[in-house]
């Protein structure tokens, strides 16, 4: 590593904090580029630890574990945003840490994230802080109904949020969230949900993949299609907004910006994730450089790769629900469509709503890619009489 330039060359050792599927795919990309790749993990059985060159066991804010990580890795990144900001700040005094702790500190709290978007003039849904019952009542009056009440800290895949449809239900909704600090968001009638994965390098240069169209079921991403069928103007507006957010965060690494697209064609930022994103998994097959290749390049200070798509693509998530009647029928799905690419994450226990893997299909027509991916997922299910 060059201390002056902050560049880490292979075969140096680099690491990821967080040991789920995102960490697993980061490690696989790093190994392909010649790095020794490690993980800070709770156990040796996590998806990332299964494929890592080395593993440090412990929670992400445990000082002895952080010391051990600093001893092994020259550069460190993260796979999820809810990492202790003080822990990252401590680590950054000793090793390269990208993205920086300030980026995560903003994005891991909905109040700070909304305040950041407001401060920088990024379009988003109207919102109010809710820390007391008086603030809750004020939010109902000023935002109108229905509204979404979300916990400020934690929460993903629909967890930590409640729809409030009438004023009488507001207090009960807040109680169901533990009467903790929340943000209230005005209801948005959207026509589509989009996401843009943007990558910013240590030199300040940014690149972005084309916007993806996302479909959620039970608040969990079900399918992604790219490029999104939104036209060149909306696509460029989404990319420009993602570039502006990455620049304002002064982030180095991969960031996903999720949008609502209203029926009037207006883009509103919903959330920011300072890491690779579920909707970007299809870049492994579809793009010149995947989002995980880009994460490795960014954390190591290397020039960023090309985000150009080699083909339109679609991805479908494989949730634990598919195991309800036994092991899914992998052979049947692959025989029906030899073009299906299967990724399983090595999770031992299927649970309803748990992301166990995904499948990707490339096709010159994005809608045909989606239809093929959905058909392959349906073929996995055992039909009972």
């Amino acid at each position: 590593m060059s201390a002056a330039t902050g560049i880490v060359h292979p075969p140096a050792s680099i690491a990821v904090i967080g040991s789920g599927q995102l960490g697993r795919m980061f490690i696989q990309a790093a190994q392909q580029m010649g790095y020794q790749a490690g993980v800070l993990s709770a156990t040796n059985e996590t998806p990332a630890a299964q494929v890592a060159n080395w593993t440090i066991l412990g929670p992400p804010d445990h000082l002895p574990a952080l010391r051990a990580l600093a001893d092994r890795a020259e550069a460190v990144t993260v796979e999820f945003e809810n990492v202790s900001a003080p822990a990252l700040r401590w680590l950054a005094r000793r090793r390269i840490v990208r993205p920086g702790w300030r980026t995560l500190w903003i994005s891991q709290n909905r109040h700070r994230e909304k305040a950041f978007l407001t401060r920088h003039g990024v379009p988003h849904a109207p919102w109010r802080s809710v820390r007391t019952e008086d603030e809750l009542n004020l939010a109902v009056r000023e935002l109108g109904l229905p509204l979404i009440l979300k916990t400020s800290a934690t929460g993903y895949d629909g967890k930590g949020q409640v729809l409030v449809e009438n004023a009488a239900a507001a207090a009960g909704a807040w109680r169901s969230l533990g009467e903790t600090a929340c943000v209230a968001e005005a209801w948005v009638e959207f026509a589509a949900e989009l996401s843009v994965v943007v990558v910013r390098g240590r030199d300040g240069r940014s690149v972005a993949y084309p916007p993806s169209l996302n479909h959620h079921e039970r608040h969990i991403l079900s399918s992604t299609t790219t490029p999104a069928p939104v036209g060149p103007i909306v696509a460029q507006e989404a990319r420009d907004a993602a570039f502006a957010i990455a620049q304002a965060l002064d982030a180095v690494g991969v960031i996903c910006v999720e949008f609502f697209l209203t029926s009037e064609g207006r883009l509103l930022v919903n959330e920011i994730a300072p890491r690779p994103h579920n909707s970007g998994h299809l870049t492994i097959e579809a793009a010149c450089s995947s989002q995980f290749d880009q994460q490795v390049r960014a954390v190591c200070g290397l020039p960023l790769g090309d985000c150009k798509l080699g083909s339109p693509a679609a991805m479908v998530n494989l949730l634990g629900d598919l195991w309800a009647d036994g092991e899914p029928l992998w052979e049947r799905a692959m025989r029906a469509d030899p073009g299906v690419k299967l990724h399983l994450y090595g999770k031992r226990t299927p649970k309803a709503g748990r992301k166990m893997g995904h499948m990707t299909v490339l096709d010159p027509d994005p809608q045909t890619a989606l239809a093929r991916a959905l058909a392959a997922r349906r073929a996995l299910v055992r039909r009972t009489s």
Side-chain angles (χ1 to χ4, degrees), residues 3-127:
T5 62
I7 299 174
V8 180
H9 296 106
S13 218
I14 62 177
V16 59
I17 297 175
S19 55
Q21 62 266 21
L22 298 179
R24 179 188 183 97
M25 289 181 270
F26 167 81
I27 286 170
Q28 290 169 329
Q31 291 168 336
Q32 187 173 334
M33 293 175 65
Y35 290 95
Q36 294 288 301
V39 62
L40 177 56
S41 173
T43 74
N44 283 312
E45 295 301 314
T46 59
Q50 291 170 18
V51 300
N53 295 104
W54 51 269
T55 301
I56 302 295
L57 296 179
D61 57 352
H62 190 224
L63 191 56
L66 291 171
R67 285 199 181 102
L69 191 70
D71 287 341
R72 294 292 299 268
E74 294 187 30
V76 179
T77 190
V78 299
E79 70 139 21
F80 64 105
E81 51 267 45
N82 290 315
V83 178
S84 164
L88 286 183
R89 187 170 61 234
W90 181 92
L91 192 59
R93 297 190 190 108
R94 294 154 178 83
R95 288 291 182 260
I96 294 171
V97 176
R98 295 170 176 149
W101 68 268
R102 287 184 181 86
T103 299
L104 270 76
W105 181 79
I106 290 171
S107 62
Q108 67 191 203
N109 180 280
R110 288 188 172 109
H111 184 278
R112 290 195 289 266
E113 184 176 272
K114 300 294 184 185
F116 165 83
L117 294 173
T118 300
R119 187 165 62 251
H120 290 279
V122 178
H124 58 284
W127 67 284

